[in-house]
Every structure is written in C-alpha cells, then in structure tokens.
Amino acid sequence: MLTARGWWFLIVLLLMLVIGAFITPYFSVVPALVSLTLLAWFVWEWALFHARSNGAVSRLGVTRHVLQGGREVPMVWAGLGFEVRVSIKNPGSFSIPFGVFEDRAAVATEIIAGSKQAFARLEARESLEIVYTLRCPAPGVLRFEGVRVRVADFQGFFYRHVFLRVPVEMLVLPPLTDDKGRQRATKRFNTLPPPGIHRLRRPGSGSELLDLRDYRPGDPPKMIAWKASARRDRLITKEFESDVPVRAVLFLDTSEGVRLGPPGNTLLTRLASVAAAVSQAAAGNRDLFGLTTFDETEAKVIPPARTQLHMINVLRQLAEVSALQPSAIGVPPEQLIRRANPLAHEVYPELMTKKINSLPFSRLWIPLLDRKYGWVILAMILLSPLLLMVKGWTTGVLNFAGARTPAPWPFLLKVFWFFLVFAVSIFPPATFALIFWGLHGVRGWFGIRRRELTRRKQLSALFAIQDGTGASGVEHYIADDTAFANRVSQFLQRHLLRCPVPLYDTEGRYRFRCPAKATVLANAMVRAVSRARDNELYVILADLAELGPDLMPLVRACRVACARHHHVLVIVPWPSDVPPPDHPIIEVDESMGIDPTVAARAKTTGQQKGKTPSVRQQRTVLIAAARRSVMMRTVRDSLTKQYHELFRNLRRELGRVGGTVMRVNDGDPVQHVLDRLDRLRGMRSRR
C-alpha cells in the first residue's frame, strides 16, 4: 500500500507530467522527460517492492522457544524471569531491505531485559532472532499471539503490515514456597485431647503407646514390654497408635465475583496463591491434600493424594482457574466493539481490511417499520388514495401544478416540472410520509451509528469465519445483542484481554453476589465428608461475606463436618481499600473543616483558568468542595460499616457450628493452616 509520502510524490509527478506534456512542450521537453523517468522509476520500485513482499514477507516462518533455568520448558513459574527466543526465518529468494519485527508479548507480563522489537535487514535464506526476558507476577495463562512484521522501501513510498499468527499458550504455575514455608509440621509434644475427641484407636507403627496385650506367635521381639512381662510372669506385647498422615481438602472459590479486577491482581489470584502455598507445605509434610474448585454451577474435585504428579496437577488447576475472567453479560455492545475491534485489527489484519470485509451501502439504511410508529407512516401512504374520492380534488391538483409551472422554461423541462409538482401534491400525506421515511433511513449513512455498525459487521464476519457459520452467522451476530456479547466475550477471553463489566444491573443490584455458590460448596463438602476415613481439615477459600441469608446451606454443611470431628477453616479475601474490622472509623461532620488538599485544589482552579477569583467565589468553591468531600467520606464509611457487619455475621454464623473464619490479610494464613494440621495430627478420632 502507498504511504502518505508515496501519494504526494505520485500526485506531484502526475502534475509535472501534465504540465510538461500540455503547457510547456513548445518551450522545453525537460519537465516531460524528467516526469516520465521518475514515473518509470516509481513503477519499477512498486514492482520490486511487491515482488519482495509476496516472495519474502508472505513466506516468513516463526519459531518460539521459552527457557527458564537454562532449559526449554512447557510451563513457567510465577515471579521468576523466563527468556523468550523468537526466530524469524526467510526461506524465500528475495531479501527484505528494511523491516520492523515485533513480538506481541503476553498480557499481564513485564519485560525485565532485552527488547521485543528488532529493526533489521533480513536477507534471503537467513534468520533473525529476538531475545528478551519476561516475568509474570501472578499465576495464570500466557498467550503469545505471534509476530508483527512491518516492511517498507528505503524511500518510504510503500508499506505493508503482516501479522504472523503462531499462537502459543503456556501455564504460569504458582510460585514455589521458600524453605521456611516447607518446614515439617510434625507433632513436637503430646497434647491432651479435649472432651469428645479420642486418638485413633488402631494399631500401627507410631510413637504413641496405644495398649498392652498378650504375646502372640510372630510378634517382633522389639515390641515386648519386658517390665510388664516380668510383673505378670508372661510375655506382654506393646501396641502403638497408627501414625497416619493428615488429610486436608482445599475448597477454592472461582465464581464471577472473585474474577473481577486487573489481570494478576484479582481476589481469585490471591486465593490461588494461598492454596498453592498450603498445598506445597502439606506435600512437604507428607500429608494428603486435595483441591475442589467451585463456582455458581458446578464443582471440580481433585481427590487427596501426595504424589509429585498430584502436586503438578493441583498447580496446573490453580493456574488455569487464575486466568478465568467474568462474563460480559450486560455490557453494552458499543463497549465490546471498542475493546475487540483494535485487537482484531492487530491480530487479524488481512481479515479486517475494507477490501474483503466491508459493509454494503444498503445495509446502513435504517428501516422504519422496525419502529412502533412506522406502521402509522405506512397507513398514511396506503390511505392517501382515498383523497381521490373527494369531489374536485384531482382538478384542483392539476390546476395547482399548472399554476406552479414557469412559462419561460423549455417544453420538456415544463413537462417534467408539471408532473413532479402533480405527483407531490396529489397525495400530501403520502408525500410527507415518504419524505419522513427517507430522512429516517438515510440517517444510518452518517454519524456514530455507521461507524459502530461497520465495526460490528467486520467482527461478525470474523467470528463467522472462525465458527464456520457463513452469512447467516453474520446476520445473527448483527441482529442479536446477546449472542454478539457472548461471542465477543469468548473472543476476548481467548486472547486474555479483559473487558470492563458493569457491577450493578438496571435495578441497582450487585451482579456478582453469586448466591448459588453456597449450595454448590455445601454439596461438595458433604460429599467430602461422606468419603472421609479419618479426621480431616477443610480449608474454604471463598468470598462469602456478602451472601447473608443465602449462607444457610454452607452452615448446615459445616455443622455436619464438625459433628464428624472434622475441622473447618474459612479464609475470606479482604478488599485492599477496606480497613480491618478492629480499625476505628472516624465519624465525619461538616464542622470538622475542609481537607487541605481539597482546599488547595479548589483555590488553584481559578488560577489555572487565567482568572483571579474573588473572596466570595473562593468561599463558595471551598464550601462546595467540603460538602462533596464530606459526602464521599460519609458514603465510604457507611459502606465500610456495612461490610464489617456482614463479616461479623459470617464469623458468628460459622462459629456457632464450629468453623473458624479469618481474613486473608490477618497474619499468615498458610502458617495458620499448618498449625491446624499440627493440632489435628494429635487429635485423631475413629470413624
């Protein structure tokens, strides 16, 4: 394609050629010869650029390697740097004189070394390598789309943009815990069990004495209690408790409410990091641990185990759920188009060009009959012939048309004007309706609607090609807002690009409360209790503070678990902008004065506009700013109190049935879970 410089050069060249051929040929032929020479050179450069573009750029090959720790890996660890090597090979016979090669880095990563761009000349049958180092701070999924190639000639007349799509997806596993987090939490002292809790009454090879019994043939001699045998004058054998590992089951909330937030900094990411640390600590203690992820509809269970393969599967599951995004239901199509259109043009440039993906001019027409008042206009057109039944109507219209025809005009023009005035005047309601119909429909050819509809059609055509639905799929996505929103949401989630979603519906209710997840979690807990053999620890990592009355199924499930001598620990995520429950909230009153920052901002407002406000104006501005500040503080404090009360109710309801509720930022939740496992290790009961 021609650049702006190329178009200007071509226009000036053609202008010189016209001047040299028709204006100055009698004086000098130099302008014509120079312009013809430059035009021939321009055509030669155009042919050479297209030959190189089609013979080299279209045949480029891309190979990607991801290295961490000096070796190529299929997945990476969060928080650690990894090296990306992209090799671009030119297998053709033409060279690329100048090109910009840029690798599209994965979303939610940061470059710590190197550069993802390269400005170079790529010779025939040679390769170019781009090396840079990335780091992903949070677990999730990485997606490398491909390499963007922009080539141009040395003069800057021609330009081509190609995107070499080589999609690669990689998991980002949660970070490994340090040596302190992997310390063993074995029992260091004997603990007397509380009433109702008994040790595991099974013979085993533990360190705690269980019972004494008579010697049986086949018992090892080291198990003989010699002092007791001497007192009873017969051989007595010692039996020890069964030293079995502790089983812990993690319940991770993956509902829509915990997916909100920027990539890598959501509540789900924080909970997944805690779950990964607990799993690795339990694996270091040789304890069995399992993972259950649940949302509003279903729960996925990984049974407890302690093998290395099981650990990898748990970390993979945590990485996959960390990349989940909230659905785009309820988002206006305009916002979805603004977010998806640039991505589609960047990743699929050849499918989004106007040459092959454009909107027909007739498709922009706005149909009137789709509106409620459209039938009124149609009725006016259909009922207009009834005017012919009025006596003298036709004669009057003919006289009116003849009186409005100018006499000096030519005969044919007068005939045309006469019939035009007659056609317009014979049925005035129909004429008015047709004019309104035309003005209503032609509005689609201009303004924002044309731009939005054109972009929507281009995206719909792209989705139809990917889905294989054809022309019917294009019309379906254009006409159905819900289907289009779901498809754009899938497109954005596939490319790991987040879309802003409305937090409240049209009735002012919070859309991501997700009350159905309490029932799903309760059913998963009951199934875990039914399959348990010994006392287990159930760690619930979920956002439960705002459920309120919908929490009762979980309360009943916790009552069942605690009745079977299991331990229940609930870790609730805490918003970063909300103070802890024990933090005092200062009441705000207008008599407290004005915030100095607000006062300084209000005072400099007039100075920035080039005006010097009077004392009265300054006082008015300061009072308004103070009222706004007080109102914002009041609303914020009211919401904080409401959230604190919801958290206290949650802790009260689960505490009554034996559960323990803590915040994720209240101390070290991983160490708290390890302490619970340590206590549970010495308080095992028979099932």
Side-chain angles (χ1 to χ4, degrees):
M1 59 179 294
L2 280 175
T3 62
R5 180 185 297 181
W7 279 111
W8 279 110
F9 182 81
L10 184 61
I11 292 173
V12 173
L13 194 62
L14 294 177
L15 183 61
M16 288 178 55
L17 182 60
V18 171
I19 294 174
F22 297 99
I23 298 178
T24 63
Y26 301 102
F27 304 98
S28 175
V29 296
V30 174
L33 293 177
V34 171
S35 58
L36 287 175
T37 304
L38 292 177
L39 183 61
W41 172 76
F42 186 82
V43 173
W44 167 256
E45 288 291 332
W46 173 81
L48 184 60
F49 177 80
H50 275 269
R52 289 173 174 174
S53 176
N54 296 328
V57 178
S58 302
R59 301 177 61 184
L60 292 177
V62 178
T63 306
R64 185 185 306 275
H65 301 279
V66 178
L67 295 86
Q68 191 171 48
R71 59 187 182 89
E72 188 173 359
V73 293
M75 60 189 72
V76 297
W77 298 96
L80 300 178
F82 57 93
E83 188 179 64
V84 180
R85 295 182 180 178
V86 181
S87 178
I88 305 171
K89 186 176 181 180
N90 180 14
S93 302
F94 293 90
S95 62
I96 300 176
F98 176 76
V100 180
F101 307 91
E102 180 181 1
D103 185 30
R104 191 178 188 275
V107 183
T109 57
E110 54 184 3
I111 299 178
I112 59 178
S115 176
K116 61 179 182 179
Q117 286 185 348
F119 304 84
R121 172 186 177 92
L122 188 57
E123 299 291 343
R125 296 181 179 85
E126 291 187 1
S127 60
L128 173 69
E129 192 173 45
I130 301 176
V131 181
Y132 60 97
T133 304
L134 290 178
R135 179 173 58 198
C136 187
V141 178
L142 292 182
R143 181 180 175 88
F144 297 93
E145 298 290 347
V147 178
R148 182 190 304 138
V149 180
R150 291 171 289 179
V151 296
D153 61 323
F154 287 122
Q155 292 77 24
F157 293 154
F158 310 102
Y159 167 83
R160 185 179 181 184
H161 173 210
V162 178
F163 191 86
L164 306 176
R165 286 192 303 275
V166 187
V168 176
E169 288 190 358
M170 303 184 64
L171 290 177
V172 183
L173 302 182
L176 295 174
T177 56
D178 53 5
D179 294 336
K180 183 178 180 180
R182 290 198 297 267
Q183 287 182 356
R184 298 183 61 85
T186 53
K187 186 174 61 176
R188 294 178 296 273
F189 50 87
N190 294 333
T191 305
L192 292 177
I197 302 297
H198 307 281
R199 297 188 184 278
L200 185 60
R201 299 298 181 178
R202 296 179 183 174
S205 58
S207 58
E208 299 294 333
L209 182 63
L210 176 65
D211 196 3
L212 296 174
R213 61 173 176 82
D214 292 339
Y215 176 81
R216 298 173 186 171
D219 290 342
K222 66 178 182 179
M223 305 299 294
I224 298 177
W226 296 106
K227 293 183 178 180
S229 301
R231 288 195 300 266
R232 300 186 182 184
D233 198 16
R234 66 176 185 274
L235 292 178
I236 303 297
T237 303
K238 296 181 291 185
E239 282 188 347
F240 295 91
E241 293 181 359
S242 178
D243 191 8
V244 296
V246 180
R247 297 163 62 96
V249 181
L250 307 178
F251 296 89
L252 180 62
D253 182 10
T254 61
S255 60
E256 298 279 346
V258 296
R259 302 178 189 178
L260 298 174
N265 194 22
T266 61
L267 297 179
L268 179 57
T269 304
R270 302 176 192 173
L271 295 179
S273 300
V274 175
V278 172
S279 302
Q280 296 178 52
N285 293 330
R286 302 293 297 166
D287 291 328
L288 288 85
F289 63 95
L291 176 65
T292 300
T293 58
F294 66 94
D295 53 11
E296 306 90 341
T297 57
E298 61 178 355
K300 298 181 180 179
V301 181
I302 299 181
R306 58 182 177 187
T307 61
Q308 187 175 4
L309 180 60
H310 173 73
M311 186 72 220
I312 296 298
N313 291 335
V314 169
L315 294 180
R316 289 174 61 93
Q317 182 69 16
L318 292 176
E320 292 176 358
V321 300
S322 298
L324 295 177
Q325 301 181 20
S327 61
I329 299 177
V331 183
E334 294 78 12
Q335 294 186 12
L336 297 174
I337 291 173
R338 295 190 191 101
R339 184 57 62 93
N341 187 67
L343 176 64
H345 277 277
E346 180 182 2
V347 181
Y348 304 93
E350 71 282 358
L351 298 179
M352 299 295 290
T353 57
K354 294 183 179 180
K355 294 182 180 179
I356 63 175
N357 192 355
S358 61
L359 186 64
F361 202 62
S362 59
R363 189 65 176 79
L364 297 172
W365 182 271
I366 303 178
L368 181 62
L369 296 181
D370 290 347
R371 304 294 188 270
K372 295 181 179 179
Y373 53 82
W375 298 103
V376 178
I377 304 299
L378 184 61
M380 293 173 61
I381 297 175
L382 297 178
L383 297 178
S384 294
L386 297 178
L387 293 175
L388 298 177
M389 302 175 61
V390 179
K391 185 178 181 180
W393 177 262
T394 306
T395 305
V397 173
L398 289 174
N399 295 333
F400 176 80
R404 294 298 183 272
T405 302
W409 286 9
F411 177 75
L412 295 178
L413 185 59
K414 288 194 297 183
V415 171
F416 172 76
W417 182 258
F418 174 81
F419 281 107
L420 178 62
V421 175
F422 178 78
V424 172
S425 305
I426 187 65
F427 302 128
T431 303
F432 171 77
L434 290 175
I435 294 175
F436 182 80
W437 198 323
L439 294 177
H440 181 272
V442 80
R443 290 186 302 112
W445 297 349
F446 311 97
I448 301 178
R449 184 183 182 276
R450 175 180 180 177
R451 181 171 64 253
E452 297 293 340
L453 185 59
T454 303
R455 293 178 179 178
R456 182 165 179 171
K457 187 268 173 184
Q458 290 180 342
L459 291 174
S460 301
L462 175 63
F463 299 154
I465 292 176
Q466 293 180 347
D467 302 338
T469 55
S472 60
V474 177
E475 293 298 325
H476 177 61
Y477 289 136
I478 292 178
D480 193 346
D481 291 343
T482 303
F484 180 75
N486 293 334
R487 187 60 182 86
V488 175
S489 177
Q490 296 176 6
F491 176 73
L492 295 176
Q493 291 184 6
R494 177 185 176 186
H495 295 278
L496 304 179
L497 184 64
R498 290 186 176 267
C499 178
V501 295
L503 300 181
Y504 300 91
D505 57 9
T506 56
E507 299 180 359
R509 295 175 298 186
Y510 187 60
R511 296 180 57 247
F512 298 97
R513 186 167 170 266
C514 306
K517 65 182 178 183
T519 304
V520 178
L521 174 59
N523 296 335
M525 284 189 62
V526 172
R527 286 195 298 268
V529 171
S530 63
R531 298 171 182 173
R533 295 182 300 175
D534 303 316
N535 297 111
E536 297 184 358
L537 175 63
Y538 298 137
V539 182
I540 302 176
L541 303 164
D543 185 14
L544 307 173
E546 298 184 359
L547 293 185
D550 299 319
L551 196 65
M552 294 310 298
L554 179 59
V555 173
R556 291 191 290 267
C558 292
R559 182 182 292 111
V560 172
C562 294
R564 303 297 295 272
H565 305 300
H566 299 294
H567 287 199
V568 178
L569 178 61
V570 181
I571 300 178
V572 180
W574 194 261
S576 58
D577 56 344
V578 178
D582 52 353
H583 189 274
I585 299 178
I586 302 176
E587 298 292 340
V588 179
D589 191 10
E590 294 188 9
S591 60
M592 295 177 58
I594 304 174
D595 190 358
T597 306
V598 177
R601 189 185 304 114
K603 187 177 295 184
T604 57
T605 302
Q607 299 176 0
Q608 293 177 354
K609 296 181 179 179
K611 300 179 180 180
T612 303
S614 61
V615 178
R616 185 174 180 179
Q617 292 177 347
Q618 292 182 8
R619 178 175 165 61
T620 304
V621 172
L622 291 176
I623 292 175
R627 289 179 178 176
R628 288 195 299 268
S629 178
V630 169
M631 184 179 299
M632 293 177 60
R633 292 184 187 179
T634 304
V635 172
R636 183 173 62 249
D637 294 344
S638 177
L639 294 177
T640 301
K641 288 183 180 180
Q642 181 180 1
Y643 196 83
H644 287 176
E645 186 62 27
L646 292 173
F647 178 74
R648 294 189 185 97
N649 292 337
L650 172 66
R651 187 163 52 186
R652 187 183 308 113
E653 292 294 334
L654 295 181
R656 290 175 180 174
V657 297
T660 303
V661 181
M662 64 174 298
R663 295 177 284 111
V664 72
N665 56 351
D666 185 13
D668 187 3
V670 179
Q671 187 61 38
H672 195 76
V673 174
L674 294 181
D675 293 341
R676 278 303 187 94
L677 290 173
D678 194 6
R679 290 176 51 189
L680 189 62
R681 200 181 312 277
M683 302 178 182
R684 310 302 300 274
S685 65
R686 190 184 188 92
R687 289 304 309 272

